Amino acid sequence: VLGMTLGQITDSLREQHKIKPDAKGAVVTAIDPDSPAAEKRIEVGDVITEAGEAQVSGPGDVEKRVKELRAEGRNTILLLLLKSSRNGDPHFLALSLK
């Protein structure tokens, strides 16, 4: 999705990427280096907790929201990420849907 491979948060991924115990969402497990996600410095281990102002409980929620916003003719999606490189601090960014 948008140059990212997303996964469900597991205990193994939580430990590997130091994801906080209470974090919920979809974890980034891979990034296409030529994608908008890479340009915006989304990293493996980041957790998407909101997509397009909707709560995310897993990878399917992000895919669903992307499809909805594209159907509405939107050009960007606002993501709320818990950045792995910043100890899980929240970070908003807009990502192109094109």
Side-chain angles (χ1 to χ4, degrees), residues 2 56 75:
L2 305 174
V56 170
N75 294 323

Side-chain angles (χ1 to χ4, degrees), residues 8-39:
Q8 198 71 38
I9 297 174
T10 62
D11 291 340
S12 170
L13 288 172
R14 226 178 254 288
E15 185 176 324
Q16 182 180 355
H17 299 294
K18 297 177 176 59
I19 298 169
K20 293 181 179 180
D22 60 340
K24 293 179 175 51
V27 65
V28 179
T29 58
I31 296 281
D32 175 347
D34 297 321
S35 70
E39 289 175 18

Side-chain angles (χ1 to χ4, degrees), residues 17 22 34 36 40 45 48 57 59 61 69 71-73 88 93 97-98:
H17 299 294
D22 60 340
D34 297 321
K40 293 288 188 168
I48 300 173
S57 61
D61 294 341
L69 293 174
E72 292 173 12
L93 66 84
L97 290 173
K98 296 187 176 200

Side-chain angles (χ1 to χ4, degrees), residues 34-76:
D34 297 321
S35 70
E39 289 175 18
K40 293 288 188 168
R41 299 180 195 248
I42 295 174
E43 303 167 313
V44 170
D46 289 350
V47 176
I48 300 173
T49 60
E50 288 185 16
E53 300 177 13
Q55 292 291 317
V56 170
S57 61
D61 294 341
V62 178
E63 293 172 21
K64 179 182 174 193
R65 196 66 184 123
V66 165
K67 287 178 185 173
E68 290 171 351
L69 293 174
R70 282 182 173 153
E72 292 173 12
R74 302 276 183 94
N75 294 323
T76 59

